[in-house]
Amino acid sequence: MNHFLDINKTSQSDLRAMIDNARAMKDSRNGRPKGTPDDDQPLAGHMVALIFEKPSTRTRVSFDVGVRQMGGQTMVLSGADMQLGHGETIADTARVLSRYVDLIMIRTFEEQTLLEMAEYASVPVINGLTDRTHPCQIMADILTFEEHRGPIAGKKVVWSGDGNNVCASFIHAAGQFGFDLTFTGPETLDPEKLFVEEARAKGVNINIERDPMKAVDGADLVVTDTWVSMHDPQSARERRHNQLRGYQVNAALMDRAKPDALFMHCLPAHRDDEATSEVMDGPHSVIFDEAENRLHAQKAIMRWCLGA
């Protein structure tokens, strides 16, 4: 059973195959209208359940379009539609859905919901996001970097801001793809120690540097994410802004990175908070390539899950 739950739970060879497959599928669609099907239809006859306990733009659209381009069909379900884990148990939901569909993607809050879904489903399960990790996003980011700058192995990535779920998956990817990562942010928002130690054990450098200017010296890639969630109360938003204001990615910070350094943000962004519009719209930025590549990376992930 090929579940795609986290980057650190998937073999390096399989991850590399997915990135290469994503690039090939993207190249094959060059110049083709977005609504037309792929020449290869590996998901023909397959039904994919897309479960959203959290709202989504990029995840929902990219998975839905990707399934359709590959010849499959989707069933989009919200947390309100299902009352996941409130009425029927997650285990029973997984068993029932497995009788109807060939693949399940779930975007949820608690990691345990994802793990229980995968444990009891008899079809592959994909992690579309949890509060702890966001592996599909980072697969798109790896694809994006390599499109622009070649292999990411041995490069220096700097994460500025909150050591959140996206940061966690970037640390997983450092261990699996062989690049170094420096985290710069306040101590109260450090990434999870377990993930840092696991990546270091694979021979890559995972550094923590409180001074963002020092952190980005020699960086090949600078990455940030939103400081606040749409679910955070106003008091929490103000507290996070106070903690993170010094870690904004602006022109002065990018000037300390390599001249050809890239800038990424997984979106949605609060412009001129975590990153300035000057950087987001500037020559280093590849944020919209990154957003597009969610489609191609996730198509490759789905194919891998189904052995298609």
Side-chain angles (χ1 to χ4, degrees), residues 75-140:
M75 177 181 296
V76 180
L77 302 166
S78 72
D81 293 331
M82 304 182 69
Q83 291 297 308
L84 192 64
H86 298 290
E88 187 172 51
T89 66
I90 295 164
D92 285 351
T93 300
R95 292 183 179 108
V96 169
L97 282 178
S98 298
R99 300 297 181 100
Y100 301 140
V101 304
D102 303 290
L103 178 64
I104 298 168
M105 187 288 301
I106 181 167
R107 180 180 173 94
T108 188
F109 294 90
E110 296 293 330
E111 182 185 50
Q112 188 54 40
T113 302
L114 167 76
L115 297 179
E116 193 170 345
M117 181 71 72
E119 180 180 355
Y120 289 97
S122 57
V123 299
V125 173
I126 295 173
N127 176 2
L129 174 141
T130 71
D131 287 344
R132 200 176 185 207
T133 59
H134 195 1
C136 290
Q137 177 63 57
I138 304 312
M139 293 294 283

Side-chain angles (χ1 to χ4, degrees), residues 2 34 38 63 98 100 114 127 129 138 161 164 166 180 229 245 254 269 278:
N2 284 339
K34 297 173 180 64
D38 292 349
F63 267 108
S98 298
Y100 301 140
L114 167 76
N127 176 2
L129 174 141
I138 304 312
N164 62 10
V166 186
D180 297 332
S229 166
R245 192 167 286 115
M254 289 302 302
E278 181 182 11

Side-chain angles (χ1 to χ4, degrees), residues 262-304:
L262 298 179
F263 168 75
M264 291 189 190
H265 187 308
C266 69
L267 304 177
H270 294 86
R271 282 176 174 259
D272 300 311
D273 281 351
E274 65 267 15
T276 62
S277 289
E278 181 182 11
V279 169
M280 293 182 68
D281 298 326
H284 299 284
S285 177
V286 290
I287 60 174
F288 297 112
D289 291 343
E290 185 185 2
E292 178 190 342
N293 281 338
R294 287 290 300 278
L295 168 65
H296 309 296
Q298 288 162 186
K299 286 169 71 174
I301 291 167
M302 287 188 283
R303 291 189 70 161
W304 175 80

Side-chain angles (χ1 to χ4, degrees), residues 166-237:
V166 186
C167 179
S169 288
F170 242 120
I171 292 170
H172 290 165
Q176 297 293 68
F177 286 94
F179 59 87
D180 297 332
L181 187 143
T182 296
F183 170 82
T184 186
E187 185 175 0
T188 51
L189 297 174
D190 274 355
E192 199 168 323
K193 287 183 179 179
L194 175 66
F195 296 156
V196 170
E197 291 166 358
E198 181 186 72
R200 284 173 175 164
K202 294 179 179 178
V204 297
N205 295 316
I206 307 294
N207 299 309
I208 295 179
E209 171 57 64
R210 300 297 171 207
D211 183 339
M213 289 295 184
K214 289 182 181 178
V216 298
D217 277 341
D220 298 284
L221 171 62
V222 179
V223 192
T224 192
D225 192 10
T226 181
W227 291 345
V228 295
S229 166
M230 66 185 74
H231 308 289
D232 288 342
Q234 185 60 33
S235 58
R237 290 168 181 253

